[in-house]
Amino acid sequence: MATTVTASKALSSYFSMSQARADRWRTVHRLARTLAGGTQRPDEVRERITQELAGLAPIEELCAYPGPRLLTVLRERLQTGDYQGVARLAQRISISLLANSYRDDSEAWRSDEDDAHTPDALPPGIAQASTRKPYLEVLVVSPGERSTWQETREAFRRMRREGDAFVYEPVVVGSFEDAVLAAIVNYNIQAVVIYDGFQYASQSSLSDLREILASVVPAETADDADLGTLLARVLRAYRPELDIYLMTDRNASALAGSEEAACIRRLFYGLEELLEIHLSILDGVQDRYATPYFDNLKKYAQRPMGTFHALPVARGKSIFKSNWIRDMGEFYGTNLFLAESSATTGGLDSLLEPTGNIKVAQEKAARALGGDHAFFVTNGTSTSNKIVHMALLSPGDIVLIDRDCHKSHHYGLVLAGAQPYYIDAFPLTQYSMYGSLAIRPIKEALLALKAEGKLDKAKMIVLTNCTFDGHVANVERTMLECLAIKPDIIFLWDEAWFGFARFSPFLRRRTAMGAAAKIRAMMRDPAYRERYAEFKKKAGDVDPKNKALLDTPLLPDPDKVRVRVYETDSVHKSMSSLRQSSIVVVADQDFHKIEPMFKEAYFTHTSTSPNLQIIATLDLARRQMELEGYELVQKAIQLSIELRHDINQHPLISKYFHAATPAEMIPAEYRQSGMSDFGAPGWNVAKTINALNTDEFFLDPTRITVLCGNAGMDGSQFKGLLASDYDIQINKTSRNSVLVQININNTKSDAAHLLKALADMSRAIDKRLAEGGDATQASFKARVKSLVEDVPDLPNFSRFHDAFRDNPKSAANEGHMRAAFYLAANPAACEYVKLGSKELEDRLKNGPELVSAKFVIPYPPGFPIMVPGQVITNETITFMRKLDVKEIHGYNAALGLECLRPDALAALRGKEAPVGERISKPKTPVGV
Ligand SMILES: Cc1ncc(COP(=O)(O)O)c(C=O)c1O
């Protein structure tokens, strides 16, 4: 039953399918206007319209709007020569599709004169704007002949009730292939009703959609009896949010308890339960639509409340009656104040001890993001990370960590007293940025710890996924290989930027929760046991002396593995919630053991006055993503791929600016599939899926590094110019690049705005060079060279000073950073050494070693080039001098580098107890 690939469909055309459909309707509209306007060549134009409609037909079969009904009306009009009617209808369809207005506007559904006598033509709920009901479509997979489909549609429509909260249109298909395609192309589908007994192959010719199908449907075979559950599994894997209902004449009760039916929301026996099905569909959508916290907050805001607590802004009386700050009320509106309270009564629940609607909202968020538990955090992922560190770590534990990760982790480690084992990401020196942490050095670190008998102290691995610049890890492989060395190691995946990825069928597999679910299933799978046995036979026990292990993909022992995965998301960074909204998602088999500590950590870091609006928008962002995340993320990816292409193909813009491709952002050794660019010729969906499954790193298409060195601008200048002259705000910068982030809010107009700005800048540079003469050209060339070629080497982590190491001779590099941090709290233990001083040169050459007292973090690039207790090397100083940035946290140019004094370090080393013990005992004096 495996589908064969018959056509090579470019990746970009997969993502732009919905756009291509809208474009095609625009073409039909344009041609229809020409025809109606009385063209010289009516036959030719009519033929072209016929062709366009034929091209649209396979997709329209899978959609309710305009769908087969309006397509048929158009074709009939074309045949009867009603060209005015064709133009009117084509215009309506084209505009409605472009603006998605058919979801709200009943006019869109009319084929003008007909609807007076065909009341079923439009969903009734969208007829009056004042009583708008959200619109959705339900996919019905039918075993019946096509001639029966109209009756099926009508049967569902007859179920509509005045009190229904939503209005849906059924889309009927007759085969497995069509059902999968409908779920792919039709964003409106929210539920699927499968009637057992349908056929596998599509009845329509799907030549150009077949490859997409093949990439989604596993190459497994099933006998016809299993087709219903197979379809349910395939659809759930692709779009987990869909509610799936199965109508079967098999033994429904036996099936209901089986593993194969786990992904089905409800089973029905026979055909007689249409009203139940209808109510179940609405109930399923309501379950996603309900935002328990937000819904209650709205109700709360409507109640006449007397407040005698410490929040004067609640109810807004101190604002709306004020002589001086009334504009505050006018600006923010009444609801903000009506919805404010410091109480946790009145059904508002408590974030610190949730038992009501916050608890339910968190459970829904866990479901949406694929975890077992979720915890709302109202002070950003900076806080989420610290909560996880504190919950899981004890003083002295070793944590393998990307030195380039967000500063909250470094500070989290100071708070927890754990020892960081810093591992460097692969460098992208040419852009003055780091890439991400490859698997090999992580294994090397774990094996080094194993060799010295310290593996039991290695508690956690902290990784960033994706990185600021879009490097997406192979989460599954990373975890499998690490678990092969330490089967109970905990993973903290910082997915601050990547929350949206859960809602992309492409990227989901590369999220922490996506991979955790897969590994859990794998460890239960007998086929994996066999694979593991084979591996064990060949590789033997994990012997740290065996260097070949570093280049062998390792597999963990399924009997020993504990899947313990934590993911932190800045919901505000990629979904529709207020700033600072963040979430911790947990898939930890041993969570019950650490739950009390997790609570303590949560209490430590959570304000006792959390912002109600942040909690409410976390609830709402979850609702949105569960109902339209698939559509929004597909469109964001499409926009990114187009923008990348438009920048790099534009003859003028590409002279000075360039969107870095996967090949430029990820060294070839980590792109085993050979993927070079999203739009590379011949690069299709199947190859992309292969790259996602195999490559060590994948580039998130929505994070576009725009290189600006060739325009003679450094990242900060370019960012400034975009903001001051074009009102464009962008994300981070590096020495010769800026990061353009495409999000679910971005539109084609935004992309056009940026392209226009790049074109204007390019034109201005062209002009300046053409008119400036030799001197201008020479200085431009020199500036470009300095930005593009004279880039400083990135300094790797040197080492912790011996005073902070339990065993200075150890090959593993962990150190007691907290001891250094607190030693620096004593001013007498510190000294300042100026960057340009002779003392600095002498000390670097002849010692005593310079040891940083502080985290020193230049922006850009934003990673700590020094951490407390780190020995400062020549490389670090050279990098710092070349950096040429204004903002360096932890460094005061007037005073110089803050270092720990050699005598303070000597005094610390002189103590008898090992460092690890001393720092965990606060009484012990440190410093001079
Ligand atoms: C990788 C990473 N983690 C965590 C954070 C902190 O997130 P928040 O701004 O939500 O506190 C950031 C912020 O930029 C980040 O880049």
Side-chain angles (χ1 to χ4, degrees):
M1 199 176 297
T3 325
T4 49
V5 175
T6 56
S8 183
K9 195 143 176 64
L11 178 69
S12 49
S13 49
Y14 163 79
F15 281 103
S16 60
M17 260 189 307
S18 74
Q19 183 61 42
R21 176 177 171 229
D23 289 348
R24 215 163 194 164
W25 275 110
R26 228 185 7 235
T27 306
V28 172
H29 174 210
R30 188 172 41 77
L31 292 169
R33 269 204 334 251
T34 310
L35 197 59
T39 170
Q40 305 281 328
R41 297 187 298 265
D43 291 347
E44 195 183 303
V45 178
R46 209 178 47 213
E47 179 50 30
R48 282 201 54 204
I49 296 179
T50 307
Q51 277 171 14
E52 293 294 341
L53 294 182
L56 281 162
I59 286 210
E60 295 311 329
E61 284 280 327
L62 311 174
C63 302
Y65 184 84
R69 185 184 72 88
L70 290 181
L71 200 67
T72 307
V73 175
L74 264 182
R75 280 175 162 155
E76 281 167 6
R77 288 183 188 174
L78 205 58
Q79 262 169 12
T80 57
D82 175 9
Y83 299 151
Q84 297 297 338
V86 172
R88 273 198 312 276
L89 186 53
Q91 178 180 32
R92 182 171 307 148
I93 292 171
S94 170
I95 291 173
S96 306
L97 275 180
L98 210 60
N100 281 328
S101 56
Y102 63 92
R103 292 172 180 169
D104 297 299
D105 179 10
S106 57
E107 285 303 307
W109 292 76
R110 295 184 197 284
S111 57
D112 45 40
E113 65 281 357
D114 70 342
D115 287 325
H117 25 253
T118 53
D120 276 343
L122 63 139
I126 62 174
Q128 308 93 21
S130 58
T131 55
R132 180 185 186 270
K133 296 175 181 181
Y135 169 78
L136 58 119
E137 291 175 19
V138 172
L139 180 65
V140 181
V141 190
S142 161
E145 289 297 316
R146 183 178 279 265
S147 56
T148 64
W149 293 1
Q150 184 54 20
E151 171 47 29
T152 305
R153 282 187 205 106
E154 277 161 19
F156 273 95
R157 287 192 190 122
R158 281 197 292 274
M159 294 297 120
R160 286 174 183 158
R161 299 286 181 276
E162 191 68 3
D164 292 348
F166 313 102
V167 60
Y168 69 83
E169 269 291 302
V171 172
V172 185
V173 295
S175 71
F176 184 101
E177 289 189 331
D178 283 330
V180 177
L181 278 174
I184 296 172
V185 303
N186 186 340
Y187 298 142
N188 292 315
I189 289 175
Q190 296 291 351
V192 186
V193 180
I194 302 172
Y195 288 89
D196 241 349
F198 53 89
Q199 62 192 39
Y200 185 84
S202 168
Q203 289 167 358
S204 50
S205 101
L206 299 173
S207 56
D208 61 343
L209 299 177
R210 215 162 258 293
E211 182 183 354
I212 291 166
L213 203 59
S215 63
V216 171
V217 181
E220 73 182 272
T221 54
D223 56 37
D224 286 355
D226 289 328
L227 222 45
T229 48
L230 176 65
L231 177 60
R233 271 184 283 133
V234 168
L235 293 179
R236 273 303 280 241
Y238 188 76
R239 286 179 62 180
E241 77 281 7
L242 294 179
D243 295 320
I244 300 179
Y245 303 94
L246 180 65
M247 241 57 50
T248 180
D249 47 16
R250 292 158 69 189
N251 183 347
S253 34
L255 183 60
S258 71
E259 191 58 35
E260 56 176 334
C263 57
I264 293 166
R265 188 176 168 94
R266 206 172 147 187
L267 279 156
F268 293 91
Y269 181 71
L271 301 172
E272 71 276 19
E273 310 239 29
L274 201 50
L275 182 58
E276 282 297 307
I277 296 169
H278 170 75
L279 295 174
S280 301
I281 290 168
L282 297 180
D283 185 57
V285 176
Q286 179 62 36
D287 187 18
R288 279 176 279 155
Y289 186 80
T291 31
Y293 187 77
F294 173 66
D295 298 346
N296 192 64
L297 195 62
K298 278 196 296 185
K299 275 192 219 138
Y300 172 86
Q302 301 308 322
R303 282 164 46 193
M305 202 62 77
T307 61
F308 297 95
H309 54 62
L311 190 70
V313 298
R315 321 304 292 179
K317 288 182 211 165
S318 68
I319 295 155
F320 293 108
K321 289 186 186 158
S322 163
N323 197 24
W324 296 103
I325 62 164
R326 213 171 302 168
D327 58 333
M328 176 179 175
E330 284 156 11
F331 182 72
Y332 288 109
T334 45
N335 280 344
L336 179 64
F337 304 103
L338 292 175
E340 268 303 337
S341 174
S342 70
T344 52
T345 49
L348 286 176
D349 208 0
S350 157
L351 183 64
L352 288 156
E353 204 66 73
T355 52
N357 46 51
I358 293 184
K359 183 167 180 284
V360 183
Q362 291 186 150
E363 285 163 4
K364 282 174 183 258
R367 172 188 70 194
L369 289 162
D372 303 332
H373 310 276
F375 299 89
F376 291 166
V377 176
T378 59
N379 193 18
T381 297
S382 306
T383 299
S384 297
N385 289 337
K386 285 178 222 153
I387 290 173
V388 178
H389 282 277
M390 186 175 166
L392 298 170
L393 300 171
S394 300
D397 282 346
I398 297 173
V399 176
L400 291 89
I401 178 166
D402 172 7
R403 204 247 321 209
D404 185 22
C405 67
H406 188 255
K407 62 182 178 183
S408 52
H409 297 287
H410 305 280
Y411 285 105
L413 290 174
V414 169
L415 291 176
Q419 303 186 73
Y421 186 140
Y422 283 115
I423 308 173
D424 282 297
F426 63 81
L428 289 170
T429 312
Q430 65 278 31
Y431 313 134
S432 285
M433 61 173 78
Y434 275 102
S436 191
L437 217 53
I439 297 173
R440 199 177 195 278
I442 306 175
K443 281 162 70 178
E444 229 166 2
L446 281 170
L447 291 172
L449 289 168
K450 188 173 166 83
E452 293 181 18
K454 293 195 282 194
L455 204 51
D456 59 326
K457 278 187 143 189
K459 269 278 179 58
M460 186 158 90
I461 303 183
V462 178
L463 294 150
T464 312
N465 187 52
C466 65
T467 63
F468 220 137
D469 304 291
H471 296 95
V472 182
N474 189 327
V475 181
E476 179 189 330
R477 224 189 97 199
T478 307
M479 294 208 282
L480 286 175
E481 295 225 39
C482 293
L483 290 170
I485 303 173
K486 175 121 205 288
D488 62 349
I489 197 136
I490 304 170
F491 296 89
L492 167 53
W493 291 97
D494 181 335
E495 300 198 345
W497 297 104
F498 209 44
F500 73 95
R502 171 83 196 159
F503 304 92
S504 158
F506 281 77
L507 299 175
R508 187 180 309 121
R509 74 199 74 205
R510 288 207 172 216
T511 62
M513 289 303 129
K518 176 134 185 241
I519 293 177
R520 271 184 184 176
M522 226 178 191
M523 294 302 121
R524 291 194 301 261
D525 184 354
Y528 175 77
R529 284 186 173 272
E530 281 174 27
R531 213 176 125 204
Y532 174 71
E534 268 307 293
F535 162 79
K536 185 83 198 288
K537 227 191 302 164
K538 270 199 212 132
D541 285 332
V542 175
D543 173 4
K545 287 199 260 355
N546 179 3
K547 293 291 170 225
L549 291 184
L550 291 174
D551 299 309
T552 310
L554 305 181
L555 292 178
D557 182 344
D559 290 326
K560 294 200 178 130
V561 162
R562 307 298 298 163
V563 178
R564 308 196 63 187
V565 184
Y566 290 73
E567 170 186 315
T568 52
D569 296 333
S570 290
V571 181
H572 66 98
K573 289 196 205 296
S574 70
M575 301 176 228
S576 303
S577 63
L578 289 180
R579 204 156 159 79
Q580 295 194 3
S581 57
S582 172
I583 197 162
V584 180
V585 193
V586 182
D588 178 356
Q589 275 179 280
D590 293 334
F591 188 66
H592 56 282
K593 292 189 192 153
I594 66 107
E595 200 167 357
M597 267 315 282
F598 191 90
K599 250 185 164 176
E600 289 297 329
Y602 193 80
F603 288 162
T604 305
H605 294 280
T606 303
S607 164
T608 42
S609 312
N611 186 305
L612 308 195
Q613 316 319 319
I614 293 179
I615 304 171
T617 57
L618 274 162
D619 203 10
L620 283 161
R622 190 274 310 151
R623 180 210 286 179
Q624 177 176 46
M625 295 313 274
E626 276 202 307
L627 287 159
E628 55 185 351
Y630 173 64
E631 171 177 4
L632 295 173
V633 174
Q634 290 278 97
K635 286 183 172 170
I637 294 177
Q638 174 208 336
L639 192 63
S640 321
I641 294 177
E642 279 173 15
L643 181 59
R644 287 171 172 278
H645 176 269
D646 290 347
I647 293 172
N648 290 352
Q649 300 305 317
H650 194 285
L652 177 62
I653 294 175
S654 61
K655 274 164 79 175
Y656 303 109
F657 301 97
H658 178 71
T661 60
E664 288 156 339
M665 293 294 287
I666 302 172
E669 64 194 287
Y670 305 124
R671 282 180 292 109
Q672 291 83 345
S673 69
M675 177 168 187
S676 63
D677 198 1
F678 303 101
W683 193 263
N684 57 23
V685 182
K687 287 182 180 174
T688 307
I689 300 227
N690 177 46
L692 278 160
N693 288 337
T694 59
D695 288 3
E696 187 157 346
F697 292 104
F698 188 85
L699 190 69
D700 173 0
T702 68
R703 306 186 74 79
I704 308 175
T705 294
V706 177
L707 304 173
C708 54
N710 282 329
M713 280 184 269
D714 65 38
S716 307
Q717 277 176 312
F718 181 39
K719 178 180 176 170
L721 196 61
L722 282 171
S724 62
D725 291 13
Y726 300 94
D727 290 328
I728 290 175
Q729 294 179 348
I730 51 99
N731 218 305
K732 72 168 271 247
T733 61
S734 83
R735 182 174 162 82
N736 50 24
S737 73
V738 301
L739 179 73
V740 171
Q741 186 186 343
I742 296 294
N743 239 318
I744 59 168
N745 61 316
N746 287 115
T747 60
K748 277 180 155 316
S749 309
D750 295 335
H753 186 184
L754 178 66
L755 284 166
K756 171 83 170 66
L758 295 179
D760 285 354
M761 283 184 202
S762 305
R763 220 169 283 120
I765 300 171
D766 257 5
K767 185 162 183 287
R768 183 154 47 92
L769 291 178
E771 294 172 3
D774 292 348
T776 304
Q777 282 171 19
S779 88
F780 180 80
K781 220 167 142 188
R783 175 77 176 143
V784 169
K785 182 172 177 300
S786 126
L787 289 168
V788 178
E789 291 172 30
D790 305 339
V791 281
D793 281 335
L794 295 171
N796 279 348
F797 179 75
S798 52
R799 63 186 169 82
F800 281 110
H801 186 267
D802 289 354
F804 306 108
R805 307 257 291 142
D806 284 339
N807 172 12
K809 294 204 171 62
S810 164
N813 88 15
E814 80 280 3
H816 291 281
M817 188 163 69
R818 179 157 81 171
F821 184 88
Y822 282 108
L823 183 58
N826 178 357
C830 299
E831 60 181 348
Y832 288 94
V833 182
K834 290 232 166 139
L835 205 53
S837 67
K838 183 168 176 317
E839 186 193 353
L840 185 113
E841 297 301 332
D842 288 347
R843 296 266 302 263
L844 282 174
K845 235 187 254 158
N846 310 315
E849 286 175 321
L850 289 162
V851 178
S852 181
K854 287 274 178 317
F855 287 106
V856 177
I857 309 179
Y859 284 86
F863 65 86
I865 54 172
M866 295 172 209
V867 304
Q870 181 184 338
V871 173
I872 300 171
T873 59
N874 231 329
E875 291 73 46
T876 312
I877 298 298
T878 310
F879 181 75
M880 208 167 160
R881 282 183 179 142
K882 281 198 183 170
L883 257 181
D884 189 23
V885 295
K886 288 187 199 74
E887 200 179 328
I888 304 182
H889 297 180
Y891 169 68
N892 182 334
L895 294 172
L897 281 171
E898 191 174 349
C899 297
L900 295 169
R901 288 168 58 105
D903 51 355
L905 294 165
L908 194 68
R909 286 195 70 186
K911 302 278 184 294
E912 271 166 24
V915 179
E917 274 176 41
R918 286 202 305 277
I919 56 152
S920 52
K921 290 184 192 134
K923 277 197 293 353
T924 311
V926 290
V928 287

